[in-house]
Amino acid sequence: MSTARAYAVSSATAAFGPLAIERRSPGPTDVQFDIKYCGVCHSDLHTARGEWAGTVYPCVPGHELVGIVTAVGAEVTRFAVGDRVGVGCMVDACRTCDSCQAGLEQYCDKRGTVYTYNSPDKHQLGKPTYGGYSSHVVVDQAFVLRIPSNLDLAAAAPLLCAGITTYSPLRHWGVTEGSRVGVVGLGGLGHMALKLAKAFGAHTTLFTTSPGKVEDARRLGADAVVISKDAAAMKAAGGGFDVIVNTVSTAHNLDPYINLLGRDGALVMLGAPPTPHPSPNTGALIGRRRSIAGSLIGGIAETQEMLDFCGVHGIVSDIEQISVQKLDEAYERMLKSDVKYRFVIDLATLGA
Ligand code: NAP
Ligand code: ZN
Ligand code: ZN
């Protein structure tokens, strides 16, 4: 066992503060690493503030961890001390069911996915897993990713959730050269969706509620930008979208986006608001064989594929580095859609 320094909330309404947590000693297949940076995902906020059911307090969020390996178990073959590594949203799964065998551990048929935080910890019974707002972590090598050497470590952290969560559906729905892709919401997920869709050769349109983000959206890869609150602009956006990925973190009317899909187009829901969206107009689905779908992060093999793709194309997140002491402020700014475009914690600010 070792003691890690962490930042935690003790209730849904509490501010973040320091907490000492236990990490297991590395077992034969475990990798221990010092967390250098951790991205701040809107899912961290939903969880910390109890917006989804089932948060166990104290809660240490964080599922975009990157750092440097400090110890490996005797049977670890894939990693060595000094390696640049990352961990995303999962630290384990059943590993035997059809989904796990297919590399889709996030959809484990036995609901055996162990999330990086707020999941029952198999190794410390009765405790939840504690995430990346902390000094170090111990994770089985099967759930540890390699960070390409050319990518800035801090800016690569958000690839572990925002990157894979957008990469996986763009691939699954066959986005390629010339596809017409819409992205709803320019935050952590949205800006990665733009960069990745552009790298796949798609024609990209961003739908945003923030007129102040238009310039940035173009720089990040949007061929067109539509202010979604402007009905005339929405109409002028045309139609015929193959895929629209929706990253909005609150409930909203989906019909305007359904209406922009072409025949067989898909509106892929990535945002996970605490309350349901208003019921969509299914007539608009029927008439053009359109679908509404959802997608959850991505499997471990696909996460490594995404990281390697980002290495080849030099893709990282646009980040604003913060100290752990600024987490509450960062959460408030996230709620105001004022993220450019991912907060990343510098864990050196945890202090001794
Ligand atoms: P984020 O950085 O806060 O971005 C969300 C964006 O949504 C905002 O920047 C804003 O963009 C837009 N938005 C916010 N409130 C809105 C409203 N009332 N109406 C319309 N648009 C609004 O959040 P994120 O980290 O990207 O996460 C987004 C959502 O995805 C969260 O619900 C999160 O839990 C979920 N998530 C899901 C998965 C998955 O596996 N499916 C993985 C990670 C996160 P504009 O200013 O451009 O409008
Ligand atoms: Zn996330
Ligand atoms: Zn499984």
Side-chain angles (χ1 to χ4, degrees):
M1 290 272 232
S2 59
T3 302
R5 288 162 285 125
Y7 252 56
V9 285
S10 58
S11 77
T13 53
F16 273 95
L19 178 76
I21 57 170
E22 302 274 286
R23 298 294 193 191
R24 68 179 183 270
S25 301
T29 59
D30 282 338
V31 172
Q32 177 167 323
F33 66 94
D34 278 347
I35 304 168
K36 298 295 181 192
Y37 303 99
C38 183
V40 177
C41 179
H42 207 114
S43 301
D44 300 355
L45 186 156
H46 290 312
T47 306
R49 298 200 170 172
E51 294 179 355
W52 296 335
T55 305
V56 177
Y57 297 99
C59 173
V60 179
H63 57 205
E64 294 180 338
L65 299 61
V66 291
I68 308 291
V69 175
T70 54
V72 295
E75 291 167 26
V76 171
T77 49
R78 299 177 46 232
F79 299 98
V81 171
D83 284 358
R84 287 156 40 104
V85 294
V87 163
C89 302
M90 302 181 280
V91 290
D92 210 343
C94 94
R95 308 193 200 189
T96 58
C97 73
D98 288 350
S99 293
C100 284
Q101 289 285 307
L104 297 166
E105 300 89 351
Q106 74 277 30
Y107 303 121
C108 177
D109 303 335
K110 296 184 180 158
R111 297 195 170 269
T113 311
V114 181
Y115 295 96
T116 305
Y117 59 80
N118 201 46
S119 251
D121 191 338
K122 286 182 186 173
H123 303 272
Q124 289 172 291
L125 295 181
K127 292 237 167 128
T129 51
Y130 295 121
Y133 300 0
S134 59
S135 56
H136 68 274
V137 69
V138 179
V139 178
D140 189 286
Q141 67 169 341
F143 287 76
V144 178
L145 287 311
R146 194 170 287 288
I147 309 296
S149 58
N150 59 318
L151 299 183
D152 178 76
L153 197 57
L159 300 178
L160 275 313
C161 175
I164 184 60
T165 300
T166 49
Y167 181 93
S168 185
L170 292 172
R171 282 287 194 224
H172 182 78
W173 273 273
V175 169
T176 182
E177 203 76 38
S179 299
R180 292 204 58 196
V181 172
V183 174
V184 189
L186 191 62
L189 267 55
H191 92 292
M192 289 312 307
L194 277 185
K195 290 187 185 210
L196 291 167
K198 197 68 203 163
F200 295 165
H203 183 276
T204 56
T205 301
L206 174 78
F207 299 92
T208 179
T209 59
S210 306
K213 293 181 182 174
V214 173
E215 289 303 308
D216 281 349
R218 291 198 173 275
R219 176 176 57 76
L220 293 164
D223 295 303
V225 184
V226 176
I227 306 301
S228 53
K229 289 172 178 164
D230 178 345
M234 286 294 279
K235 204 161 185 191
F241 282 85
D242 298 305
V243 183
I244 300 178
V245 290
N246 188 325
T247 74
V248 174
S249 49
T250 55
H252 60 284
N253 181 10
L254 304 182
D255 290 340
Y257 300 108
I258 296 171
N259 290 332
L260 289 170
L261 294 170
R263 173 178 52 78
D264 292 323
L267 174 63
V268 183
M269 303 306 298
L270 302 178
T275 55
H277 298 288
S279 181
N281 172 10
T282 52
L285 297 175
I286 293 167
R288 305 279 290 151
R289 199 164 62 184
R290 296 156 164 159
S291 51
I292 302 176
S295 183
L296 176 65
I297 45 175
I300 294 298
E302 193 177 40
T303 305
Q304 190 62 62
E305 175 192 305
M306 175 275 309
L307 286 165
D308 295 343
F309 178 89
C310 289
V312 169
H313 294 267
I315 295 174
V316 286
S317 175
D318 281 35
I319 64 166
E320 180 175 337
Q321 260 189 57
I322 58 165
S323 64
V324 278
Q325 292 80 12
K326 293 278 184 197
L327 270 166
D328 299 298
E329 203 177 292
Y331 275 28
E332 289 311 310
R333 283 183 53 194
M334 198 149 54
L335 288 173
K336 290 184 203 140
S337 302
D338 178 23
V339 184
K340 296 198 171 141
Y341 279 89
R342 195 60 137 186
F343 292 112
V344 170
I345 308 164
D346 175 0
L347 272 317
T349 59
L350 272 171

